[in-house]
């Protein structure tokens, strides 16, 4: 943020934390939630656990362009996972691996579809690395918001990431949680379409991703 004198009065202009452009307060701001002094007690007479905590939020300035760029990155991530799940559920993976004893032509088609299914993932990786020269993309990833001075000051004062000890809409999503949820949703689809082996793999992947998500700190 910086000040500019105009007519004897100081006008404060907010800078987008991700690109440095002017960013007036708006719904494009990225909101980070923090919590502190969490306590869980049991209510009298009824066996119910009641959790209480203090909550604080940090509104990180973000312009419309960076907001759009972050949404595009998230969309690419979701599409990359959905494309791989759809490829496996369609049976093309079994043909590619030779489980269904396909002909040479069918295996070639399966390989072509495998390359197509990997395209969204490659786009997502390129966006994360900043390799796509598209003006709508944000120069810095959304996770850079956790380097904002106000957020760091609260963290140094003992505040913990997320708006509460439970998951809230203000909490930054963990990519491992998103992938785990996607695999979990794909389990019944794979099972009821006759791909029991794939369903088993997805169950193991869901458990592994959620376990990793519980061990990874949000600021990582």
């Amino acid at each position: 943020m910086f000040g500019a004198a105009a007519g004897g009065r100081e006008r404060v202009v907010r800078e987008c934390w991700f690109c440095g452009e002017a960013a007036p307060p708006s719904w494009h701001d990225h909101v980070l939630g923090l919590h502190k002094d969490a306590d869980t007690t049991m209510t009298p007479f009824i066996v119910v656990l009641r959790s209480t905590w203090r909550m604080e939020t940090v509104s990180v300035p973000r312009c419309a362009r960076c907001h759009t760029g972050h949404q595009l990155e998230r969309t690419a991530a979701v599409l990359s996972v959905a494309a791989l799940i759809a490829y496996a559920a369609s049976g093309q993976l079994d043909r590619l691996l030779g489980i269904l004893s396909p002909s040479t032509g069918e295996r070639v088609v399966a390989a072509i579809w495998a390359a197509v299914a990997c395209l969204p993932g490659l786009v997502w990786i390129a966006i994360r690395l900043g390799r796509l020269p598209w003006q709508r993309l944000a120069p810095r990833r959304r996770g850079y918001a956790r380097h904002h001075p106000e957020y760091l000051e609260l963290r140094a004062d003992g505040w913990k990431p997320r708006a509460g000890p439970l998951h809230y809409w203000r909490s930054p999503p963990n990519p491992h949680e998103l992938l785990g949820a996607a695999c979990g949703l794909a389990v019944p689809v794979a099972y009821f379409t006759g791909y029991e082996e794939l369903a088993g793999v997805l169950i193991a992947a869901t458990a592994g991703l959620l376990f990793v998500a519980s061990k990874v700190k949000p600021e990582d």
Side-chain angles (χ1 to χ4, degrees):
M1 300 175 69
F2 58 89
R9 298 171 58 184
E10 185 178 5
R11 179 169 56 90
V12 178
V13 180
R14 299 168 82 242
E15 291 182 354
C16 175
W17 179 246
F18 303 94
C19 69
E21 298 294 331
S26 68
W27 66 279
H28 296 297
D29 289 352
H30 181 48
V31 179
L32 293 174
L34 301 99
H35 73 279
K36 191 177 183 181
D37 301 332
D39 183 38
T40 301
T41 58
M42 184 176 295
T43 57
F45 307 112
I46 303 176
V47 184
V48 177
L49 295 179
R50 179 175 57 191
S51 298
T52 59
W53 61 88
R54 295 167 56 195
M55 185 181 70
E56 185 63 80
T57 60
V58 175
S59 183
V60 180
R62 181 171 60 175
C63 64
R65 169 217 173 174
C66 289
H67 187 190
T68 301
H70 293 155
Q71 292 295 329
L72 290 173
E73 180 183 348
R74 292 186 65 183
T75 302
V78 173
L79 289 178
S80 64
V81 176
L84 294 177
I85 293 176
Y87 176 77
S90 67
Q92 296 295 338
L93 180 61
D94 293 343
R95 294 186 178 90
L96 182 65
L97 299 178
I99 298 177
L100 296 179
S101 301
S103 63
T104 303
E106 290 176 335
R107 181 167 293 183
V108 171
V109 172
I112 294 175
W113 278 111
V116 173
C118 290
L119 286 178
L122 295 176
V123 172
W124 176 55
I125 294 173
I127 293 176
R128 285 176 62 93
L129 298 178
R131 299 296 178 85
L132 293 181
W134 191 18
Q135 293 299 323
R136 287 186 176 273
L137 299 178
R140 295 187 177 91
R141 295 180 55 225
R142 188 175 53 173
Y144 185 69
R146 292 187 287 272
H147 296 277
H148 192 270
E150 185 178 352
Y151 181 84
L152 294 177
E153 182 179 353
L154 290 172
R155 292 285 283 121
D157 194 34
W159 290 83
K160 298 179 180 180
R162 301 187 183 278
L166 305 176
H167 294 284
Y168 278 76
W169 69 272
R170 294 178 183 270
S171 303
N174 188 315
H176 300 90
E177 292 177 351
L178 295 178
L179 293 176
C183 291
L185 292 175
V187 169
V189 176
Y191 182 81
F192 289 110
T193 53
Y195 296 97
E196 291 84 359
E197 296 83 0
L198 177 60
V201 173
L202 290 173
I203 291 174
T206 301
L209 288 168
L210 295 180
F211 175 78
V212 172
S214 66
K215 302 300 181 183
V216 176
K217 296 181 180 180
E219 56 265 30
D220 292 339

